[in-house]
Amino acid sequence: MIGGTAGNVLANRLTENPAFNVLVLEAGPSDDGVLEIEVPFLCTHTTPDTPWDWNYTTVPQPGLNGATLSYPRGYVLGGTSSVNCLVYTRGSEADWNRYAVVTGDNGWSWKNILPYFKKSEKFTPPSDHHNITGDFNPAVHGFSGFNSISLAGAPTIIDGRALAATEELGEDFERNEDYNSGSPLGFGWSQNVIDGPSGSRSSSSSGYLRNALKRPNLHVLVNAQVSRIVQTGTEHGLPAFRKVEYRVNDGGSLLTVTATKEVILSAGSINTPQVLSNSGIGDSKKLRSLGIKYLVNLPDVGENLSDHPIIVMSWLVNSTSTYDDFNRNATLQAQELQTWEKTREGPYVNGISQHIGFIRVPDDSPIFEGETDPSPGENSPHFEIFISNFLLGTPPATGNFMSISAIMYTPGPISRGSVNLTSSDPFSRPIVDAGLLLSPTDVPLLRAGVRSILQFASAKAFSNYILGPADPSQPGVNATDEEIEAYLRANARSAYHVVGTSSMSKVGAADGVVDPDLKLKKVSGVRVVDASILPFAPAGHTQAATYALAERAADLIKADFE
C-alpha cells in the first residue's frame, strides 16, 4: 500500500493482527522533523513548489478563462494529510446516504459510517485550554482514535466580531454547535486536525503510522515510487494482480514485491488511476494509443474527477493584530516559531480559520429553474464560508487584512475532470483536468456564495473594522450578477478536494472502477482505498471522509482474511 491519508490508516489497523504483514511504499520522503508540516499555522507553506508536493498543474480550465492551476498533492509520508490546511469536516448525512444508494451498500450510509468517524478521532482540548463547553457536541465525536481533532488554540482579533455578525444576521448565519453532526447548516467554531496538547498537525503519519511503527509486522519504505501492479496469474476466471513494481529514489532500478493476500492502492485521486493505467487497467483504446499493453478494460479509470471551486475575498482592516506579519516578516516568524517550540501556544497553533459556516440556497431558487439541484438532500449545504485573520495569499509589504472564502460544494454533473497518461513511461506526469465551473448551476451557486460573503462582511460588527477591499476589482454589495460572474471566472480556483477517479458503483455495474467493498472490478487481488473511490465530492473537506472510509475498509479486509 502507499503511505498517504488512507494508506497509513490501513497500515495501523491491519497490523493489529500479528498474522498480517504490511509493506508501505511511499514515493516521497519522511515527514519526521519537518516544521512546515508540523506547525499548524505554516500549513500554507507546505505547497506549492516544495519538496513535499507532487507540484501538479492542470490543463487550461475553460470555466476559469483558460487558467492553468497549481494542483497540490502530498508527496510525503502522510500524503495530503501532511500538507493540507487542516480543516476537518465530514460532509452531510445526505452525502453518505447518497453513497449508499449509488453503491447499493448500506454500509456507506451516514448511520453506518458515523461509528468510523468516531473510531478514527481523538478529540483533544485546545492548546490554550480554554473552556469549549457548548462549542462542539461531544456525543458525535470520538476520544480514543489516532486522528487528533481540536478547536482553535489561540484567540484572534476577529473572533468576537465574527460571532457578533452571526448573531446579528441570523437565518443562514445562525449558530450550529457542531457542523460535524451530519446536519452542517449554520456557523460554528472550526474543527481542525490539530493535536491540542502538542499544538501540532495531526496527519495519518503522525497519528496512525507512528503509533504502529514498533510492530514487527509493519514495514515502511520511503522514496519508493510505485510504477505499476503486475499480473501474477488468474483466479476464479479473473486476472490476479499481486505483484507491485517500484523504484527507490529517482532513476533507481525497478524492483518488485509480491503480496500474499492483497495489493491495496492508496495513492490518491491522481496517482491511483495513474498506477492502474500504467498496469494496463483502464480504457483499452487510450492504453493502446500510448503503447501500453491492455489487460483489463475499465473505461472509468481516471474519469469522473470531481472537485470543489473556491473564491477568496479580502479586505484591508483597521487592526495591527492580524496574522499578515507572520507571512512577510522573517524575524517575526522566527520569534513566533520559538514561542511555539517552547510553549506550544500562540498563533502558530492555529490553522487558516477559526470560524466556518455552511449555507444552502432555497429549494425554490431561480438557480434551479430548468436545472436539477445537484445537492444530495435537504440538510446538505451548497457552499461553505470560512473566515481568516490574514490575507490568504502573499500579503503586500504593508497593511492588515481579513479574508472570507466560499467553497462551492455541489458541482453539477458536467463539471467533471479526468486524469490521463501522456506516455508509456510509468513515471511521466499525468494530464490533470479539474473540470471546474462547467455545469449550468456552478456559477450561480458560487455567486450566491459571494453574495453571502458580502452580506457577512457588511454586518455592523465589521463597520469600524473593514476599511475597503484588498483588490479593487473585488465586487461590492451592489455588484450585478454579470460582474460577479466575471470576477469568479477570473479568480476562482480549486479547493483541492479531488475525488471520483476510481469510483465505487454497484456490484456488476458497467460503470465505476471498484465494487462497494472497494475491490477492483474484473480483477482479483487488488483493492483501492483512498478518496478516489468516492463517486461525488462530499459537502466538506475530503480528509475526514478519507479517514472514515479507510477505517471501514480495514474492517472489510479483516473480515475477508481473519
Side-chain angles (χ1 to χ4, degrees):
M1 65 184 63
I2 295 166
T5 308
N8 291 330
V9 175
L10 296 172
N12 181 303
R13 294 303 187 188
L14 296 182
T15 56
E16 290 174 336
N17 184 336
F20 291 172
N21 279 284
V22 171
L23 171 64
V24 175
L25 298 172
E26 168 54 46
S30 171
D31 61 318
D32 190 33
V34 180
L35 282 174
E36 290 89 342
I37 290 175
E38 191 176 356
V39 179
F41 183 77
L42 297 181
C43 64
T44 59
H45 298 218
T46 57
T47 66
D49 303 321
T50 71
W52 319 292
D53 184 4
W54 283 95
N55 293 312
Y56 291 126
T57 55
T58 70
V59 298
Q61 297 294 291
L64 300 176
N65 294 344
T68 297
L69 309 181
S70 170
Y71 219 53
R73 298 283 92 194
Y75 178 75
V76 63
L77 204 57
T80 304
S81 75
S82 290
V83 300
N84 63 23
C85 281
L86 306 164
V87 180
Y88 179 84
T89 57
R90 296 170 172 173
S92 69
E93 179 177 354
D95 279 323
W96 293 91
N97 290 342
R98 177 164 66 172
Y99 295 147
V101 171
V102 168
T103 62
D105 181 353
N106 201 47
W108 294 111
S109 68
W110 173 259
K111 176 183 177 181
N112 290 314
I113 206 70
L114 179 58
Y116 288 110
F117 279 117
K118 296 170 76 171
K119 182 180 181 180
S120 76
E121 283 186 0
K122 181 174 67 176
F123 208 98
T124 63
S127 300
D128 62 0
H129 307 290
H130 74 270
N131 185 357
I132 57 175
T133 302
D135 292 340
F136 83 114
N137 179 5
V140 299
H141 290 281
F143 296 85
S144 58
F146 293 105
N147 181 29
S148 294
I149 311 295
S150 188
L151 301 180
T156 72
I157 191 68
I158 59 172
D159 290 345
R161 296 180 186 274
L163 294 172
T166 61
E167 292 178 5
E168 172 191 335
L169 296 171
E171 297 182 349
D172 288 341
F173 302 92
E174 285 182 347
R175 187 170 180 274
N176 184 338
E177 181 184 44
D178 199 315
Y179 56 73
N180 278 323
S181 65
S183 298
L185 298 179
F187 274 69
W189 289 96
S190 181
Q191 298 176 19
N192 298 280
V193 283
I194 296 172
D195 181 66
S198 69
S200 302
R201 173 193 292 271
S202 177
S203 69
S204 72
S205 176
S206 66
Y208 280 91
L209 196 64
R210 288 180 198 170
N211 278 285
L213 282 176
K214 292 183 179 179
R215 295 174 185 161
N217 56 336
L218 174 60
H219 315 273
V220 180
L221 185 60
V222 296
N223 302 307
Q225 184 177 354
V226 172
S227 53
R228 58 172 65 93
I229 55 176
V230 180
Q231 185 174 355
T232 52
T234 58
E235 296 174 3
H236 313 295
L238 297 174
F241 288 75
R242 284 197 170 81
K243 184 179 290 186
V244 178
E245 181 185 86
Y246 66 99
R247 67 178 182 185
V248 179
N249 300 316
D250 287 351
S253 300
L254 290 176
L255 305 170
T256 60
V257 61
T258 302
T260 57
K261 292 182 173 65
E262 280 189 347
V263 171
I264 303 171
L265 272 179
S266 300
S269 294
I270 306 300
N271 296 107
T272 286
Q274 180 186 23
V275 170
L276 289 174
S277 297
N278 281 322
S279 308
I281 302 169
D283 187 302
S284 58
K285 293 180 181 178
K286 290 180 181 178
L287 297 179
R288 285 171 174 153
S289 72
L290 294 171
I292 297 174
K293 184 180 179 181
Y294 144 67
L295 297 173
V296 179
N297 187 33
L298 280 177
D300 281 348
V301 168
E303 298 298 318
N304 192 48
L305 186 155
S306 182
D307 194 4
H308 294 148
I310 183 174
I311 187 68
V312 179
M313 303 178 74
S314 300
W315 291 265
L316 183 69
V317 299
N318 180 24
S319 173
T320 57
S321 299
T322 66
Y323 287 173
D324 296 286
D325 281 338
F326 301 143
N327 284 324
R328 63 188 169 200
N329 185 319
T331 300
L332 189 58
Q333 284 181 25
Q335 291 173 354
E336 285 300 330
L337 184 58
Q338 189 175 43
T339 298
W340 178 85
E341 289 177 322
K342 288 183 176 180
T343 69
R344 299 304 169 111
E345 292 185 355
Y348 272 27
V349 305
N350 283 345
I352 61 171
S353 178
Q354 311 274 85
H355 308 276
I356 190 168
F358 301 85
I359 294 177
R360 179 177 177 82
V361 303
D363 293 343
D364 60 355
S365 169
I367 293 171
F368 306 126
E369 290 181 4
E371 301 292 340
T372 301
D373 180 355
S375 79
E378 62 182 12
N379 75 335
S380 197
H382 289 104
F383 52 88
E384 167 197 316
I385 289 178
F386 66 90
I387 303 99
S388 304
N389 187 41
F390 58 102
L391 185 74
L392 275 181
T394 303
T398 60
N400 293 274
F401 301 90
M402 177 181 75
S403 300
I404 308 180
S405 308
I407 301 175
M408 198 272 285
Y409 276 150
T410 49
I414 299 173
S415 290
R416 295 292 182 271
S418 60
V419 176
N420 286 293
L421 302 186
T422 57
S423 75
S424 59
D425 176 1
F427 300 109
S428 63
R429 298 179 74 78
I431 298 172
V432 180
D433 180 3
L436 296 173
L437 296 188
L438 299 178
S439 290
T441 56
D442 289 355
V443 166
L445 286 172
L446 192 53
R447 187 170 59 214
V450 168
R451 293 206 181 277
S452 289
I453 288 174
L454 293 170
Q455 182 183 1
F456 192 79
S458 299
K460 292 178 182 178
F462 296 108
S463 61
N464 62 345
Y465 187 71
I466 290 177
L467 301 176
D471 175 4
S473 71
Q474 182 172 293
V477 292
N478 296 319
T480 65
D481 285 353
E482 292 74 20
E483 288 170 337
I484 295 177
E485 177 171 353
Y487 183 77
L488 291 174
R489 298 284 188 193
N491 294 282
R493 292 296 181 260
S494 166
Y496 314 131
H497 299 163
V498 193
V499 306
T501 52
S502 306
S503 291
M504 295 187 287
S505 64
K506 293 179 179 179
V507 175
D511 65 328
V513 176
V514 299
D515 286 334
D517 59 2
L518 309 187
K519 292 179 180 177
L520 191 63
K521 292 177 180 288
K522 302 181 182 179
V523 163
S524 180
V526 181
R527 212 175 298 235
V528 176
V529 185
D530 57 36
S532 72
I533 62 95
L534 296 173
F536 311 93
H541 302 237
T542 49
Q543 65 172 324
T546 305
Y547 281 118
L549 72 86
E551 285 279 12
R552 180 170 189 241
D555 277 358
L556 292 172
I557 295 166
K558 287 178 176 179
D560 280 354
F561 291 104
E562 287 185 339

